[in-house]
Amino acid sequence: MRVEILGQERRRRWSNEDKFAIVTAVGEAGATITEVARRHDVTRQQIYTWRSELKKKGLLSTSGNAVFIPVGLSAAQADVSEGREICCGIIVLRLSCGRTLRFESSLAPSVLTQVIRAVEAA
């Protein structure tokens, strides 16, 4: 018996950047794993595997509730340039939405306010 395979090979190679983009697309604008998998022509299991792989490599947060928010540092740099003494303490703040923020005590209050508002709005 002879078998002939027609068409392209299905095996594809994905870079860590591509995997990260696909894994983080889950949850954006309410996208489910199934929707993201269909959009990128991969299986749901592949996304779960990549998520685990990226966490082990330290490229993805181990917390499912982690949210990364861009923050402008110009206000923090302005406070430091005014001669404010920099402390090395870490402050842990538990928000009413159930999230926890950890930040250096030298963070400018205006930047911290922006972060808190953004986290509570998400």
Side-chain angles (χ1 to χ4, degrees):
M1 182 166 130
R2 188 174 136 183
V3 176
E4 197 173 325
I5 300 174
L6 302 174
Q8 276 188 312
E9 179 185 0
R10 276 297 283 166
R11 181 168 280 238
R12 294 173 283 181
R13 305 281 182 224
W14 299 89
S15 67
N16 283 336
E17 292 80 22
D18 292 336
K19 292 176 186 179
F20 184 80
I22 292 171
V23 168
T24 56
V26 175
E28 287 180 354
T32 64
I33 288 186
T34 302
E35 293 168 345
V36 173
R38 281 187 195 137
R39 189 179 328 139
H40 296 282
D41 194 28
V42 296
T43 65
R44 292 181 328 198
Q45 183 57 41
Q46 189 65 59
I47 294 176
Y48 288 119
T49 301
W50 287 345
R51 181 187 291 170
S52 176
E53 178 185 305
L54 291 170
K55 284 180 183 178
K56 287 178 185 173
K57 290 181 179 180
L59 300 174
L60 189 67
S61 172
T62 56
S63 170
N65 297 329
V67 178
F68 295 97
I69 302 168
V71 176
L73 295 179
S74 59
Q77 291 169 348
D79 286 347
V80 171
S81 65
E82 291 173 4
R84 222 174 100 193
E85 190 172 315
I86 298 175
C87 300
C88 57
I90 298 293
I91 297 174
V92 177
L93 179 64
R94 298 187 196 289
L95 301 176
S96 60
C97 62
R99 294 190 174 133
T100 302
L101 294 177
R102 289 179 180 83
F103 54 92
E104 292 182 9
S105 59
S106 61
L107 186 65
S110 59
V111 174
L112 180 57
T113 303
Q114 290 175 339
V115 170
I116 292 171
R117 286 183 181 151
V119 170
E120 287 187 336

